[in-house]
Amino acid sequence: MKITKIFSDENGDSHFENLEIPLIDQGDIGFLSENIDVKKLQFRKVSADYDYDFHCAPQKQFIVLLDGGVKIETSLGEIREFQTGEILLVEDISGKGHKTKNLEKRERTSLFIHL
């Protein structure tokens, strides 16, 4: 399973990294990853005009985009777009952070899974 990680380097700059979460064949029930310990789960809805300037993640977390996409910009100016159903691992809890903006002018919901 492919996910994108956002992290800060030793200079505080944010970066993207493509990750592959291995899935193991479990027969009739499908393919599963190894267990990942989590602390909390949180649902979130943002307004149609969501456009959040540079910020750090409040904690290390997975973000699952439930309905609506986002455009994310790193502190070095790299921009990627993510669509409904994609998963991010956000680890830039310090440093210069990243920008986030809705791709469309509509409310967007996501799921935060705190690590």
Side-chain angles (χ1 to χ4, degrees):
M1 175 174 290
K2 295 179 191 306
I3 66 170
T4 301
K5 180 168 87 169
I6 303 170
F7 68 98
S8 295
D9 65 19
E10 60 279 350
N11 296 320
D13 287 310
S14 56
H15 301 270
F16 293 115
E17 180 180 351
N18 298 324
L19 298 178
E20 182 74 30
I21 303 294
L23 300 178
I24 301 160
D25 188 349
Q26 300 294 313
D28 291 343
I29 64 167
F31 292 79
L32 299 174
S33 71
E34 293 291 333
N35 289 332
I36 299 170
D37 291 330
V38 301
K39 294 180 181 176
K40 294 182 181 181
L41 181 138
Q42 188 174 39
F43 293 94
R44 178 174 131 181
K45 182 179 283 193
V46 297
S47 67
D49 59 348
Y50 184 79
D51 186 358
Y52 198 26
D53 205 4
F54 281 104
H55 63 285
C56 292
Q59 65 269 325
K60 187 174 171 180
Q61 61 191 2
F62 285 106
I63 300 175
V64 182
L65 301 174
L66 297 176
D67 68 349
V70 295
K71 177 170 72 172
I72 298 178
E73 180 177 347
T74 67
S75 63
L76 296 174
E78 184 180 359
I79 297 172
R80 291 191 189 182
E81 293 184 355
F82 301 94
Q83 303 294 331
T84 298
E86 291 195 72
I87 302 169
L88 305 168
L89 173 58
V90 185
E91 295 185 341
D92 65 335
I93 58 175
S94 64
K96 299 173 185 173
H98 61 276
K99 289 183 182 182
T100 307
K101 182 178 183 176
N102 282 355
L103 288 178
E104 301 175 55
K105 286 282 190 184
R106 64 182 185 98
E107 284 187 338
R108 178 176 53 83
T109 58
S110 53
L111 174 67
F112 290 177
I113 304 167
H114 305 187
L115 302 173

